[in-house]
């Protein structure tokens, strides 16, 4: 959930500031880009050096660093962040946040930030129970800020009660769960095919194609990033999925057909981007074929068109996307395939465009839907193309 997200961690003056080292470490491990802002008091509890080393970014403490002459732009920092976490949030900082007081870098960035703000209070039990703190917290909740509630236990004062900052692991899972719930494809199941298939001729040779699997992997990752539970069925490829998903490796068109039919039931979105072999050898030689013949022929039979088969099987709640790779009469062929294979969307790849196609990192596509709408896109990275395709799916489901 936190991969590639920009996170500002604001640390206030509280003994719980020592936990921010673990929090930074966990955020970085989860793939987030972390920038830390320390209040002056927080710097008495934990050193900027520790947090700079762990976050791999400079730590911000003031608007202006006298030694280096660097000005920390609070507006820029606020706009950079996808999420702001204030942990530990002291009674003093909560009060500033609730009342628009802006006398240090952390409170200025808070006022400048447009992103969701999470705060994890940490203070002694009587401070936490005080009417003033209660009022500040409820004000922050009405602003839409999200509290990660303190827990009960032994406090730094030696007293027992509520006011202990949530543990870093709890903070991470709390935020991840909220982000997850807000994803548009949460609760949806998706199936994606990718890569080529290899059709064996003998134990050492096969008929294959140039598909790298890059496009299909980018789509599977994007669907997973949007919250879907993804099954990725892939032919032989060097690609690695970046998101968590169920990956099924196959080699032949027949294996891909079996994996697709076994997984299709219950899927909400299916995207078939694999370059499946249309023909496969009738007989596979048990031993390596010797080069005794001057002219050598291999008899081939048609494979099952998996996409067309799924088009027959699908019910009205299932959304099916196919690809078309054409070299002539591209649009007519693509539109004909959309109808013939009973698809909801077809993505046309052209081999005419430089930079698009097999093994490239970029692609240029045109999408047609059932209402005969046509959308043409610029040449983009396959990751960006995957985003465009998923956005189009989101619009229609
Ligand atoms: N496809 C499939 N099973 C096959 C062949 C193709 O599922 N045996 C799917 C591909 O994953 C793609 C779509 O069908 O989504 C279109 O593939 P393409 O090769 O462009 O076209 P074909 O339908 O095979 O037709 P033709 O080769 O005649 O253009």
């Amino acid at each position: 959930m936190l991969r590639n997200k920009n996170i500002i961690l604001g640390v206030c003056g509280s003994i719980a500031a020592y936990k921010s080292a673990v929090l930074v470490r966990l955020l970085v491990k989860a793939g987030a880009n972390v920038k830390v802002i320390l209040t002056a008091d927080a710097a008495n509890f934990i050193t900027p050096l520790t947090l700079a080393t762990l976050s791999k970014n400079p730590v911000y403490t003031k608007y202006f660093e006298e030694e280096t002459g660097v000005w920390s732009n609070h507006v820029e920092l606020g706009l950079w962040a996808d999420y702001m976490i204030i942990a530990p949030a002291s009674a003093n900082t909560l009060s500033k946040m609730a009342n628009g007081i802006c006398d240090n870098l952390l409170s200025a960035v808070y006022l400048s930030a447009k992103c969701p703000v999470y705060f994890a209070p940490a203070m002694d039990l009587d401070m936490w129970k005080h009417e003033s703190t209660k009022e500040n917290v409820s004000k922050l909740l009405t602003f839409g800020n999200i509290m990660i509630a303190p827990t009960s236990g032994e406090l730094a004062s030696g007293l027992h009660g509520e006011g202990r900052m949530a543990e870093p692991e709890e903070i991470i899972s709390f935020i991840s769960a909220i982000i997850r719930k807000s994803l548009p494809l949460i609760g949806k199941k998706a199936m994606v095919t990718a890569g080529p298939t290899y059709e064996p001729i003998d134990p050492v040779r096969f008929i294959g194609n140039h598909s790298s699997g890059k496009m299909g992997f980018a789509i599977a990752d994007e669907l997973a990033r949007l919250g879907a539970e993804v099954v990725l069925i892939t032919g032989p490829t060097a690609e690695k999925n970046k998101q968590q998903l169920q990956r099924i490796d196959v080699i032949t068109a027949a294996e891909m057909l079996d994996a697709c039919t076994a997984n299709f039931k219950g899927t909400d979105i299916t995207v078939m981007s694999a370059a499946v072999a249309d023909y496969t050898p009738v007989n596979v030689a048990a031993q390596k074929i010797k080069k005794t013949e001057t002219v050598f022929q291999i008899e081939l039979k048609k494979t099952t068109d998996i996409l067309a088969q799924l088009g027959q099987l699908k019910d009205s709640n299932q959304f099916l996307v196919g690809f078309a790779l054409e070299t002539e009469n591209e649009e007519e062929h693509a539109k004909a395939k959309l109808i013939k294979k009973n698809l909801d969307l077809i993505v046309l790849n052209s081999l005419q465009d430089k930079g698009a196609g097999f093994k490239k990192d970029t692609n240029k596509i045109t999408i047609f839907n059932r209402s005969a709408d046509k959308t043409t896109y610029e040449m983009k990275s396959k990751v960006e193309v995957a985003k465009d395709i998923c956005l189009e799916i989101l619009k229609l489901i």
Side-chain angles (χ1 to χ4, degrees):
M1 289 302 108
L2 297 168
R3 188 181 294 273
N4 295 329
K5 296 284 184 258
N6 293 339
I7 294 179
I8 296 270
L9 175 65
V11 181
C12 306
S14 153
I15 180 61
Y18 82 92
K19 294 184 187 173
S20 57
V22 180
L23 186 53
V24 170
R25 180 76 198 100
L26 293 176
L27 288 168
V28 170
K29 222 172 132 194
N33 310 310
V34 185
K35 291 186 180 177
V36 181
I37 304 175
L38 288 181
T39 64
D41 275 348
N44 292 325
F45 287 98
I46 182 141
T47 71
L49 181 62
T50 304
L51 298 174
T53 310
L54 291 170
S55 67
K56 303 183 179 84
N57 272 316
V59 165
Y60 302 83
T61 50
K62 304 177 211 161
Y63 290 104
F64 183 70
E65 305 288 340
E66 291 89 356
E67 309 81 44
T68 57
V70 173
W71 159 252
S72 302
N73 186 328
H74 56 91
V75 177
E76 222 167 67
L77 277 168
L79 296 179
W80 172 83
D82 295 311
Y83 300 101
M84 185 166 185
I85 306 170
I86 299 166
S90 64
N92 184 35
T93 294
L94 289 183
S95 163
K96 288 183 193 178
M97 288 162 64
N99 296 291
I101 296 169
C102 185
D103 64 350
N104 62 16
L105 184 64
L106 177 55
S107 49
V109 172
Y110 167 72
L111 282 185
S112 308
K114 290 186 178 163
C115 61
V117 177
Y118 293 84
F119 62 97
M123 62 198 77
D124 208 52
L125 75 160
D126 293 316
M127 293 169 83
W128 177 241
K129 275 198 241 154
H130 199 282
E131 285 308 315
S132 159
T133 307
K134 280 188 193 164
E135 206 178 292
N136 289 331
V137 166
S138 52
K139 240 183 174 180
L140 291 177
L141 297 177
T142 62
F143 297 167
N145 297 165
I146 305 155
M147 179 166 74
I148 306 159
T151 57
S152 278
E154 192 184 338
L155 301 163
S157 59
L159 298 172
H160 267 265
E162 208 173 25
R164 218 160 71 160
M165 187 179 87
E167 293 305 320
E169 292 80 3
E170 290 164 353
I171 293 177
I172 300 268
S173 38
F174 182 94
I175 296 172
S176 301
I178 292 188
I179 299 173
R180 210 178 155 67
K181 264 193 230 151
S182 67
L183 294 175
L185 291 181
I186 205 76
K188 299 274 183 213
K189 287 191 173 175
M191 180 170 90
V192 179
T193 64
T197 63
Y198 287 178
E199 308 304 315
I201 299 169
D202 68 14
V204 292
R205 303 178 180 99
F206 60 83
I207 299 172
N209 59 66
H210 291 299
S211 170
S212 62
K214 284 178 197 281
M215 195 63 252
F217 273 68
I219 294 168
D221 278 335
E222 179 62 11
L223 289 168
R225 208 184 59 79
L226 293 170
E229 197 183 306
V230 179
V231 176
L232 169 64
I233 300 165
T234 177
T237 172
E239 287 300 301
K240 290 193 169 67
N241 48 293
K242 294 180 183 69
Q243 299 288 329
Q244 221 178 0
L245 46 79
Q246 187 196 340
R247 175 174 167 165
I248 301 173
D249 285 276
V250 297
I251 295 172
T252 63
E255 287 171 8
M256 189 168 274
L257 171 67
D258 287 347
C260 286
T261 38
N263 285 281
F264 186 58
K265 199 164 175 257
T267 57
D268 301 286
I269 301 161
T270 300
V271 184
M272 305 286 284
S273 67
V276 188
D278 289 327
Y279 290 91
T280 190
V282 173
N283 298 306
V284 181
Q287 306 300 331
K288 186 183 169 201
I289 300 168
K290 291 299 203 183
K291 55 174 184 300
T292 46
E293 312 291 330
T294 318
V295 175
F296 183 76
Q297 292 191 341
I298 303 172
E299 199 183 351
L300 301 174
K301 62 178 181 201
K302 243 189 187 171
T303 58
T304 304
D305 188 323
I306 309 169
L307 180 61
Q309 181 150 318
L310 299 186
Q312 294 307 309
L313 290 174
K314 91 178 176 93
D315 64 40
S316 57
N317 296 319
Q318 290 181 298
F319 195 89
L320 185 57
V321 182
F323 271 69
L325 181 70
E326 307 292 342
T327 52
E328 54 173 355
N329 296 333
E330 302 172 329
E331 290 200 8
E332 281 116 90
H333 283 147
K335 284 194 264 183
K337 277 180 197 171
L338 175 81
I339 305 301
K340 195 173 132 209
K341 298 194 187 188
N342 192 25
L343 312 179
D344 298 287
L345 213 72
I346 192 151
V347 181
L348 170 66
N349 281 304
S350 167
L351 276 186
Q352 317 283 21
D353 297 296
K354 253 192 172 177
F358 294 126
K359 294 200 166 83
K360 305 261 170 46
D361 286 322
T362 48
N363 203 3
K364 188 172 185 322
I365 58 159
T366 306
I367 296 182
F368 299 92
N369 65 24
R370 293 293 289 196
S371 324
D373 299 325
K374 169 185 162 185
T375 318
T376 307
Y377 298 84
E378 295 300 308
M379 179 89 65
K380 293 179 180 185
S381 74
K382 286 187 174 167
V383 171
E384 292 302 316
V385 171
K387 287 190 175 150
D388 287 337
I389 294 170
C390 292
L391 218 80
E392 204 55 36
I393 295 172
L394 280 177
K395 271 195 231 158
L396 294 169
I397 60 170

